[in-house]
Amino acid sequence: MPLIPNTPVEKMTEPYHRRWWALLVLCLSLLIVVMANTSLIVAAPDMTRELGLSSSDLQWVIDGYTVPYAALMLVLGAIGDKYSRRGALVLGLLIFAGGSVMGGLVDETNLVITARAIMGVGAAVVMPATLSLLVAIFPRAERAKAITAWSATSGLAIAAGPLAAGWLLENHAWGSTFLMNVPVAVLGVVGALLLVPPSKAEGMGRIDYVGGLLSIVSVGSLVYATIEGPHFGWGVGPITAAVVAGVGLLAFVAWELKHPNPMLNVRKFTERPFSGSMLAVLFFFFGTFGSIYYSTQFLQFVLGYDALETGIRLLPLAGAVFVGSAVTGKLAPKLGVKIVVGTGMVIGTAGVFLLTQIESGSTYTDFLAPLLLLGFAIGLSLSPATDTIMGSFPEGELGVGGGANDTALELGCALGIAILGSLLATSYKDKLTDMVGGHLPAEAMDVAKDSVGGGIAVAEQVAKNPQGGAEQAQTLLGAVHESFAHAIAHTSLIGGIIMAAGTLIVIAVLPGRKHTVQHGEADAAPATEEQSETVGA
């Protein structure tokens, strides 16, 4: 029997025999897409020093990836459905690898941001393709287990990105954190061609490109406004983007409601399992990425860990994700989505609230429990939420389903980093101003207030003054550390309150167990060929 069947997976009467090997390829592809964000967290200090990045520059190096990634997933998922899901995966990996090569070789800020944007486009093709292929390849009885592995990979990438980047930065420049994606992407392409079967939606009509364009404009503008407004002030640009996002969203909903073949059937949001699960994914990644964003800064700038040491200390989070994933495989079929997802959100919220105890004398041990709780919460709840979202879409819309799930995920990340990051920066600046006051020249004070890294850099300069510089530097350094610890505690309080409110909303929206189909019920009887095509088996 050939390694790859000539018949598309939707036409098979039996499940694809190499589906678990194909899942490995899908998870590998997902791994590098998520790692591209998390690896930059520990590479940022080196990039800031070598490129001379301002706070705005650094924000756009990070978010140049996020805007196209979030804005394009829905449309590119639909295109993959129509023409080729496997082809979309391969093309996305090649685009991602091309952007990674460019990012690793250039040394100018705007070119780095451009490279990150190209990588974001590639990621927007890859992410929905991985989920749509997974659902198409696996029969319903095995799908929850496969999605659990997919979800666990997301958690692994959160820790693996900083670890791999930290290891490379021990002996190489920051460009190596881009180039490390290339061999993995090439391996993914080869694996996709050898192990992933062809798949596309049968009988799919014309793509709703108007709806797709409206989704790009609305989501892209929303992410842009979310990034720019909180960090750099609500000037003309962010306000205009927010207005465009609102008008675009209304236009998108109106268009989709009247279109005979919409890009996204917005009536799905009236279905409680779907809307509740989408909200759960968004709030999870809001709290998780926001918390990890500032926790890693404390580990590096206050506790003095280098990039590799920081990556190693994030490993418990990945381990907790795997434990949570193992537990959810047992609990979700028995207790239902509402109880499992709700419990996970409560645990994740507790993890964020624990960070309110951080102070200037805190050690890594004080971060360990929050990391473990956040990791366990992701492992416990992400899989059943994602499974519910994908189960809401027919075979012909699996790419759109993957795009919807991943848009919620990426929007949560963007909101978490932007909103919580903005609160962090404001709280740090206010506290440092209160503590240091007029004891520094205005120019030095502006640098110190910009970020904790800037504060440490100013202290290092002050220490070079032979007239009592060492003592002044130590006092300033203590103020910087205390201000940043205060900012983390304050930001975590606000973040925890938002997470708690989100938890209550999700629990209220998700229906009870008796209103949802449990895993495996769809496969209680042998499926006919027509039924197999419907579920993508």
Side-chain angles (χ1 to χ4, degrees):
M1 188 172 183
L3 193 62
I4 287 292
N6 294 323
T7 305
V9 69
E10 287 81 6
K11 293 294 186 181
M12 298 179 196
T13 57
E14 296 293 333
Y16 175 50
H17 71 295
R18 291 187 180 270
R19 57 192 178 278
W20 294 105
W21 286 104
L23 177 63
L24 181 62
V25 176
L26 302 181
C27 288
L28 185 69
S29 304
L30 170 69
L31 184 72
I32 60 168
V33 166
V34 179
M35 280 176 58
N37 255 346
T38 59
S39 62
L40 204 64
I41 293 174
V42 296
D46 282 5
M47 295 180 70
T48 300
R49 284 191 295 269
E50 294 185 27
L51 295 174
L53 299 179
S54 66
S55 177
S56 176
D57 291 336
L58 178 60
Q59 189 67 32
W60 278 107
V61 167
I62 295 171
D63 291 313
Y65 183 79
T66 301
V67 174
Y69 186 11
L72 295 173
M73 277 191 283
L74 200 62
V75 176
L76 295 177
I79 292 173
D81 277 340
K82 183 171 179 63
Y83 296 106
S84 173
R85 292 165 181 148
R86 184 179 67 177
L89 178 64
V90 170
L91 178 61
L93 287 170
L94 291 174
I95 294 172
F96 187 86
S100 298
V101 170
M102 178 180 176
L105 298 180
V106 299
D107 58 0
E108 197 273 323
T109 301
N110 288 331
L111 292 178
V112 174
I113 294 172
T114 301
R116 288 279 293 170
I118 293 171
M119 292 170 66
V121 173
V125 185
V126 170
M127 277 287 276
T130 61
L131 263 182
S132 60
L133 282 164
L134 183 155
V135 175
I137 291 170
F138 282 87
R140 192 68 180 89
E142 297 177 345
R143 197 173 301 156
K145 186 183 296 185
I147 289 179
T148 296
W150 185 92
S151 302
T153 301
S154 298
L156 173 63
I158 293 174
L163 182 64
W167 178 73
L168 287 170
L169 290 171
E170 288 286 292
N171 298 298
H172 303 282
W174 58 264
S176 62
T177 62
F178 284 78
L179 295 175
M180 72 177 181
N181 298 316
V182 178
V184 183
V186 171
L187 183 61
V189 169
V190 174
L193 295 174
L194 293 177
L195 296 170
V196 178
S199 173
K200 67 177 182 177
E202 296 296 329
M204 183 176 173
R206 294 181 60 185
I207 293 178
D208 172 22
Y209 283 110
V210 173
L213 178 60
L214 289 171
S215 75
I216 292 172
V217 171
S218 55
V219 174
S221 299
L222 175 60
V223 173
Y224 175 84
T226 299
I227 293 167
E228 281 285 298
H231 271 282
F232 309 115
W234 289 95
V236 175
I239 290 177
T240 302
V243 171
V244 170
V247 173
L249 182 60
L250 292 174
F252 174 74
V253 171
W255 177 266
E256 298 298 271
L257 284 173
K258 72 175 185 178
H259 198 281
N261 186 29
M263 172 71 65
L264 173 65
N265 182 2
V266 293
R267 292 181 177 87
K268 286 188 181 297
F269 286 96
T270 64
E271 301 171 7
R272 291 169 60 192
F274 175 77
S275 56
S277 296
M278 288 280 286
L279 286 171
V281 170
L282 187 149
F283 277 110
F284 259 120
F285 280 86
F286 170 89
T288 301
F289 261 73
S291 300
I292 292 174
Y293 175 73
Y294 52 72
S295 294
T296 52
Q297 290 187 55
F298 192 96
L299 296 180
Q300 287 183 285
F301 290 114
V302 178
L303 297 183
Y305 295 126
D306 62 25
L308 178 59
E309 290 169 337
T310 300
I312 290 172
R313 282 162 178 79
L314 290 178
L315 285 178
L317 182 142
V321 171
F322 279 102
V323 173
S325 298
V327 170
T328 200
K330 304 289 185 181
L331 294 183
K334 296 178 181 178
L335 302 178
V337 173
K338 179 170 185 170
I339 293 178
V340 173
V341 171
T343 300
M345 291 200 69
V346 169
I347 294 171
T349 301
V352 176
F353 272 125
L354 275 180
L355 290 170
T356 61
Q357 304 303 307
I358 295 301
E359 53 189 23
S360 58
S362 293
T363 65
Y364 169 68
T365 305
D366 297 296
F367 287 88
L368 187 56
L371 289 174
L372 290 172
L373 289 177
L374 286 170
F376 183 77
I378 292 172
L380 185 66
S381 299
L382 183 59
S383 171
T386 298
D387 193 19
T388 301
I389 292 169
M390 294 304 294
S392 301
F393 290 86
E395 184 277 326
E397 300 175 15
L398 294 179
V400 174
N405 178 86
D406 299 335
T407 299
L409 186 157
E410 192 59 28
L411 187 58
C413 293
L415 288 169
I417 292 176
I419 294 175
L420 297 184
S422 174
L423 288 170
L424 182 82
T426 301
S427 182
Y428 166 77
K429 184 194 313 182
D430 292 344
K431 182 67 173 178
L432 188 65
T433 300
D434 290 342
M435 294 189 70
V436 177
H439 297 292
L440 282 177
E443 185 176 347
M445 189 64 193
D446 287 341
V447 174
K449 290 191 301 183
D450 185 61
S451 65
V452 61
I456 293 171
V458 170
E460 290 173 349
Q461 289 298 316
V462 171
K464 296 177 181 178
N465 185 350
Q467 303 296 324
E471 183 177 347
Q472 292 176 347
Q474 193 62 38
T475 300
L476 175 58
L477 193 61
V480 168
H481 288 178
E482 184 173 341
S483 298
F484 193 65
H486 167 81
I488 287 181
H490 178 260
T491 302
S492 298
L493 177 62
I494 304 299
I497 291 172
I498 295 172
M499 284 283 288
T503 299
L504 293 176
I505 294 170
V506 169
I507 291 174
V509 171
L510 283 174
R513 175 180 167 82
K514 66 180 181 179
H515 297 293
T516 58
V517 177
Q518 299 306 305
H519 301 319
E521 288 180 7
D523 292 305
T528 64
E529 181 175 346
E530 182 180 357
Q531 289 168 330
S532 295
E533 291 181 21
T534 300
V535 298

